[in-house]
Amino acid sequence: MEQTNIPYDGKKMTVFRNGMIYSKEAEGFRLPREQRKWKAQWIWAPSGAYPEYQNCDYTMFQRKDGPFAVFVFQKKMWCGEKPDRADLYITADSSYKVFINGRPVGRGSAQPGGDYANCESVPYKFYENYKVQDFLRAGENVITVRVCLGAVVQSEISCGHGGLLAEITDGRENVLAATDDTWKCVRDRAYTARSSWDGTYTLEEEDWGYRDETWDWAEVVKKQELFPPVYATPIPNLIYLEQRPEKVLNPFEPGAERVFYDTDADRIRITKGAPVTFWLDFGRICAAYFFLNIKGGKGTKAVLHMQEFPGKVERDGTTVTLTLGDEQAGLETLRMQSIRYVQITLSNVWQDCVIHAAGINISAYPSELKGSFQCSDPLLEKIYLAGCRTNQICRQTYHMDSPIHQEPLGCMGDYMIESLMNYVTFGDPYLTRFDILKIAAYLKERDYRMFHPSYCLLYIGMILDYAMYSGDLELLSKTEETIDGILRLFTSYLGGNGLIEKAPNYMFMDWVEDGGFNRHHPPKCMGQGYLTAMFAGALERAVSILHLLGGREEKINGYERLRRQVAESIHRELWDEEKQLYVDGLYDPEARESTRWMPADVDRRFYSQHMNTLAVLYHIVPKEREQELMARVMEDPTLSQAQPYFMHFVFEALQQTGLFETYGLKQIRRWESLLDENPDALKEVWYGFDCDYSHAWGGTPTYQLPTRILGVVPAEPGFGKIRFQPCLPPELTYARGSIPTPKGEISVELTRFESEVKVRLDLPEGVGIAEGK
């Protein structure tokens, strides 16, 4: 795939190419002010008219069946002349889509963070800033905002009360419009639930013009303190790209000719008759919102399944039910989905039905694919690009696990790997920075506890990676308190034997079935060594962070001393001399209680790639035995085997021990089985359970190929110096590519001539090569 000479035309800032989205929308982006002074007030639908739609659940995890509703707010605004500059600042609880003069401007708000199973609010929200001068005109203008009361996906967190906060200013900060009691509002009763729509109650199309008489006056929320401080979203605004279906699939009625797709007229016609099922095919999996206009008989029902594969119905929230009211209606889904196909089943088709303007609004973080990797093995290139695509799908207002799940930020084992993938491909630091700060704020509020304890420890490594790839050391000082809190908590989990004995659970290891258990939430004897090794690794990375900050020798010495003690305890307690392996943990006869996330312990010994890989990676096994143990990890089929997520750590340990050239490419080629199922985005696991095909946590080859084969990683923050250790395995004749850095692009080309490898390295100004390993 060529990655140069992207054909931008004039003002066109975004293009599709080979399944990727290239965007210049974020060029020149700068971090905004942390907070602004608002003249606007939080408003909501009047409590007298809508008493049952004032409050809502904080999150979808509460499962209290709290009220859900969609409201539309409008304000008429007069401009004596078209302004040269205008800024819209906006947020809402729980989410919004904003229009000016009928044209969509953007969506929000940015996801606030939180953790899996979180049932509480957070003490902050975020607002977006849109440049809207091109949306305005001289004379009358109408701003329209659709707001959802209550979360639509599990990553959303509400303040518990409906609200809209918005204002438009000119370039001199004069307020042109601000939310107050002069706004109008109405409940859009067609949205009867998060995933059902009743056209009997639809707002007619002309209602999107200003309706001065039929709507209610909005109400300023009496207790403004219900809403927490609101901070600027420190990432570029997402972009939305409209796409029509490439084709319509109608496999159940071949030759019946009941479903006709006229691409020129952008229309699908369905003749009356029995229920009928067909699919709209959009060509590739995308993170998107589906929309359509439909005309037919009153009472016609459409069940819409958003799918990655035809007929593969996913979890709750991916299905929408539409009932047609007075002959014609339009619908846009409230929730972003993972979509290649939309399955449509029409019933009660008592007269001909026409679907027109059906399509998806693709949601994407604006960036270019600056990095590249090519080599003599086309399979490796395909694996690399599939990871790029999947990562782009998952880069939204946080590094989500998948558009199907949209797990909260506490599930950040995914986001650590996705961030590394980003550094060597898109080269954008802002989204990871945003993730890190939100996680830090959330952990401080929750006494540094996370639903998955191991992810808490990986978070410290994520901070170090960010500093090395971005050069931003200011973030290290902002997160130091959180790092200390995490390490203090895990120190309290240590028992008299020096291992973690008192953890609330031993999640997350990997999606692996072993001995009747799943390593997602293993018993203590299966997860103890893993979690203790993760603790040793977190201490090691905390020491590296403190060295970068400087002037913290006492703390450095304390953490290094504790790291040695933990490593020595693991080796003393868990090393099996006969097997020459580390056992996963010790049986605890006191751990008899079984909870949902930690089974009762069993008197058995387990051995895994996971535990022994971490023993190598975190310098628990004596250095002179690291390579021997890592070779055993790769060669012993009796060990519990890693899935794509944990293979990231396996590759890191192979690199550390000099074994990547021996084992690396063979392992990366295992991703071929994922591409056989779906060639353009990645499945969550190789085997074990039915799952989604847009899960970037399994994309570590996209990070490994350029860093291990081209051999470029930062040796100093921001690439002041690099470690350059190119490795062209004998099965490759060439490899070349580029890695983006804050100082410019590094390009490498490796070419084999018989037994010799020729190396070309181009470095931007200000980047040097560190000596030694």
PDB file of all heavy atoms in Angstrom, residues 729-740:
ATOM      1  N   PRO A 729      15.186 -10.957   9.628  1.00  0.00           N
ATOM      2  CA  PRO A 729      15.245 -12.418   9.723  1.00  0.00           C
ATOM      3  C   PRO A 729      15.579 -13.037   8.380  1.00  0.00           C
ATOM      4  O   PRO A 729      15.284 -12.461   7.323  1.00  0.00           O
ATOM      5  CB  PRO A 729      13.841 -12.795  10.194  1.00  0.00           C
ATOM      6  CG  PRO A 729      13.339 -11.578  10.895  1.00  0.00           C
ATOM      7  CD  PRO A 729      13.902 -10.435  10.109  1.00  0.00           C
ATOM      8  N   PRO A 730      16.213 -14.218   8.384  1.00  0.00           N
ATOM      9  CA  PRO A 730      16.698 -14.805   7.132  1.00  0.00           C
ATOM     10  C   PRO A 730      15.618 -15.087   6.100  1.00  0.00           C
ATOM     11  O   PRO A 730      15.899 -15.155   4.908  1.00  0.00           O
ATOM     12  CB  PRO A 730      17.378 -16.097   7.591  1.00  0.00           C
ATOM     13  CG  PRO A 730      16.878 -16.355   8.972  1.00  0.00           C
ATOM     14  CD  PRO A 730      16.575 -15.028   9.556  1.00  0.00           C
ATOM     15  N   GLU A 731      14.354 -15.226   6.528  1.00  0.00           N
ATOM     16  CA  GLU A 731      13.293 -15.500   5.558  1.00  0.00           C
ATOM     17  C   GLU A 731      12.843 -14.255   4.805  1.00  0.00           C
ATOM     18  O   GLU A 731      11.997 -14.340   3.899  1.00  0.00           O
ATOM     19  CB  GLU A 731      12.096 -16.183   6.231  1.00  0.00           C
ATOM     20  CG  GLU A 731      11.472 -15.422   7.376  1.00  0.00           C
ATOM     21  CD  GLU A 731      12.003 -15.857   8.729  1.00  0.00           C
ATOM     22  OE1 GLU A 731      13.238 -15.880   8.907  1.00  0.00           O
ATOM     23  OE2 GLU A 731      11.173 -16.169   9.614  1.00  0.00           O
ATOM     24  N   LEU A 732      13.359 -13.082   5.160  1.00  0.00           N
ATOM     25  CA  LEU A 732      13.033 -11.852   4.447  1.00  0.00           C
ATOM     26  C   LEU A 732      14.231 -11.391   3.617  1.00  0.00           C
ATOM     27  O   LEU A 732      15.375 -11.465   4.073  1.00  0.00           O
ATOM     28  CB  LEU A 732      12.641 -10.744   5.435  1.00  0.00           C
ATOM     29  CG  LEU A 732      11.391 -10.968   6.290  1.00  0.00           C
ATOM     30  CD1 LEU A 732      11.144  -9.755   7.187  1.00  0.00           C
ATOM     31  CD2 LEU A 732      10.174 -11.262   5.430  1.00  0.00           C
ATOM     32  N   THR A 733      13.945 -10.867   2.427  1.00  0.00           N
ATOM     33  CA  THR A 733      15.024 -10.321   1.586  1.00  0.00           C
ATOM     34  C   THR A 733      15.124  -8.807   1.730  1.00  0.00           C
ATOM     35  O   THR A 733      16.182  -8.237   1.457  1.00  0.00           O
ATOM     36  CB  THR A 733      14.789 -10.677   0.108  1.00  0.00           C
ATOM     37  OG1 THR A 733      13.509 -10.160  -0.302  1.00  0.00           O
ATOM     38  CG2 THR A 733      14.822 -12.191  -0.093  1.00  0.00           C
ATOM     39  N   TYR A 734      14.029  -8.160   2.135  1.00  0.00           N
ATOM     40  CA  TYR A 734      14.104  -6.721   2.394  1.00  0.00           C
ATOM     41  C   TYR A 734      12.990  -6.333   3.354  1.00  0.00           C
ATOM     42  O   TYR A 734      11.981  -7.026   3.506  1.00  0.00           O
ATOM     43  CB  TYR A 734      13.989  -5.901   1.100  1.00  0.00           C
ATOM     44  CG  TYR A 734      12.597  -5.853   0.518  1.00  0.00           C
ATOM     45  CD1 TYR A 734      11.678  -4.878   0.924  1.00  0.00           C
ATOM     46  CD2 TYR A 734      12.186  -6.780  -0.435  1.00  0.00           C
ATOM     47  CE1 TYR A 734      10.390  -4.847   0.396  1.00  0.00           C
ATOM     48  CE2 TYR A 734      10.904  -6.746  -0.969  1.00  0.00           C
ATOM     49  CZ  TYR A 734      10.016  -5.770  -0.552  1.00  0.00           C
ATOM     50  OH  TYR A 734       8.745  -5.742  -1.068  1.00  0.00           O
ATOM     51  N   ALA A 735      13.194  -5.193   3.975  1.00  0.00           N
ATOM     52  CA  ALA A 735      12.162  -4.554   4.785  1.00  0.00           C
ATOM     53  C   ALA A 735      12.457  -3.066   4.770  1.00  0.00           C
ATOM     54  O   ALA A 735      13.618  -2.651   4.808  1.00  0.00           O
ATOM     55  CB  ALA A 735      12.152  -5.081   6.214  1.00  0.00           C
ATOM     56  N   ARG A 736      11.408  -2.272   4.710  1.00  0.00           N
ATOM     57  CA  ARG A 736      11.598  -0.826   4.734  1.00  0.00           C
ATOM     58  C   ARG A 736      10.359  -0.185   5.346  1.00  0.00           C
ATOM     59  O   ARG A 736       9.282  -0.781   5.384  1.00  0.00           O
ATOM     60  CB  ARG A 736      11.840  -0.277   3.333  1.00  0.00           C
ATOM     61  CG  ARG A 736      10.718  -0.531   2.338  1.00  0.00           C
ATOM     62  CD  ARG A 736      10.976   0.144   0.999  1.00  0.00           C
ATOM     63  NE  ARG A 736       9.947  -0.219   0.022  1.00  0.00           N
ATOM     64  CZ  ARG A 736      10.092  -1.161  -0.900  1.00  0.00           C
ATOM     65  NH1 ARG A 736      11.241  -1.849  -0.971  1.00  0.00           N
ATOM     66  NH2 ARG A 736       9.107  -1.426  -1.755  1.00  0.00           N
ATOM     67  N   GLY A 737      10.528   1.032   5.800  1.00  0.00           N
ATOM     68  CA  GLY A 737       9.392   1.738   6.365  1.00  0.00           C
ATOM     69  C   GLY A 737       9.813   2.996   7.070  1.00  0.00           C
ATOM     70  O   GLY A 737      10.980   3.409   7.021  1.00  0.00           O
ATOM     71  N   SER A 738       8.843   3.615   7.724  1.00  0.00           N
ATOM     72  CA  SER A 738       9.088   4.868   8.420  1.00  0.00           C
ATOM     73  C   SER A 738       8.348   4.886   9.743  1.00  0.00           C
ATOM     74  O   SER A 738       7.318   4.226   9.907  1.00  0.00           O
ATOM     75  CB  SER A 738       8.647   6.051   7.557  1.00  0.00           C
ATOM     76  OG  SER A 738       7.281   5.949   7.227  1.00  0.00           O
ATOM     77  N   ILE A 739       8.899   5.650  10.681  1.00  0.00           N
ATOM     78  CA  ILE A 739       8.300   5.809  12.009  1.00  0.00           C
ATOM     79  C   ILE A 739       8.221   7.299  12.302  1.00  0.00           C
ATOM     80  O   ILE A 739       9.241   8.004  12.244  1.00  0.00           O
ATOM     81  CB  ILE A 739       9.133   5.086  13.080  1.00  0.00           C
ATOM     82  CG1 ILE A 739       9.060   3.576  12.846  1.00  0.00           C
ATOM     83  CG2 ILE A 739       8.645   5.426  14.480  1.00  0.00           C
ATOM     84  CD1 ILE A 739       9.900   2.757  13.800  1.00  0.00           C
ATOM     85  N   PRO A 740       7.021   7.819  12.603  1.00  0.00           N
ATOM     86  CA  PRO A 740       6.903   9.249  12.916  1.00  0.00           C
ATOM     87  C   PRO A 740       7.446   9.563  14.305  1.00  0.00           C
ATOM     88  O   PRO A 740       7.340   8.739  15.228  1.00  0.00           O
ATOM     89  CB  PRO A 740       5.394   9.501  12.841  1.00  0.00           C
ATOM     90  CG  PRO A 740       4.773   8.180  13.161  1.00  0.00           C
ATOM     91  CD  PRO A 740       5.715   7.133  12.634  1.00  0.00           C
TER      92      PRO A 740
END
